[in-house]
Amino acid sequence: MKKVVLLAIIFMFSGAVFSQETSNTNFKMKIKWVKNQVVFECANGCGYQMAFNAKRTVVLDQFGMVNVQKNLVKEDTSDYQFSYTKKGNQIILKGIKGVAWGELKLDFKKEYTFDNNGLVGS
């Protein structure tokens, strides 16, 4: 009888853990510039602040920057992914997965807030 109760408790807790692992693509992020660095500040759905050279092209997800050469985008375990590119005085964010937008074009050196549904504010 004790084994049955113990198994029931284990299944209850494992069910609670698995229910917390559902996909959640909701995030909110701010993009701004400090000198020649672009800064991504995550407010929701991830837990980082990241800065890198504004001329660099990168792929970002809920965990941070993705090394596309080592980790293929298709194998990424994050809920969302997008790329950052600077062309002239324009910033282009391209949605890869888990976002409702295909591309966001932003003016360089302005501060913006965006989420999985698109631009929230500038």
Side-chain angles (χ1 to χ4, degrees):
M1 182 67 176
K2 289 182 182 180
K3 289 182 181 179
V4 172
V5 173
L6 182 60
L7 283 173
I9 292 171
I10 291 172
F11 283 120
M12 285 176 25
F13 284 112
S14 66
V17 170
F18 288 122
S19 67
Q20 292 174 357
E21 292 178 5
T22 57
S23 178
N24 181 11
T25 59
N26 294 329
F27 68 90
K28 189 173 185 181
M29 211 173 277
K30 184 183 286 187
I31 182 173
K32 63 183 184 177
W33 286 265
V34 178
K35 298 187 181 185
N36 289 330
Q37 300 281 310
V38 61
V39 179
F40 284 87
E41 290 180 353
C42 187
N44 183 36
C46 48
Y48 61 82
Q49 177 174 326
M50 183 170 300
F52 51 87
N53 186 311
K55 295 178 184 177
R56 184 174 180 191
T57 297
V58 300
V59 175
L60 298 165
D61 66 12
Q62 74 191 73
F63 306 114
M65 197 178 317
V66 176
N67 183 339
V68 181
Q69 284 77 29
K70 290 186 179 179
N71 304 314
L72 296 176
V73 174
K74 294 177 185 173
E75 294 177 2
D76 186 71
T77 59
S78 68
D79 293 329
Y80 61 86
Q81 226 175 36
F82 61 91
S83 67
Y84 160 90
T85 306
K86 181 182 180 295
K87 290 186 179 180
N89 285 331
Q90 196 170 52
I91 298 305
I92 300 170
L93 301 178
K94 288 187 181 180
I96 297 171
K97 77 175 192 180
V99 296
W101 39 272
E103 189 172 89
L104 298 176
K105 292 185 178 184
L106 312 173
D107 293 328
F108 184 60
K109 295 284 186 176
K110 288 189 178 180
E111 190 171 301
Y112 294 93
T113 302
F114 64 97
D115 65 12
N116 51 296
N117 293 311
L119 207 54
V120 176
S122 58

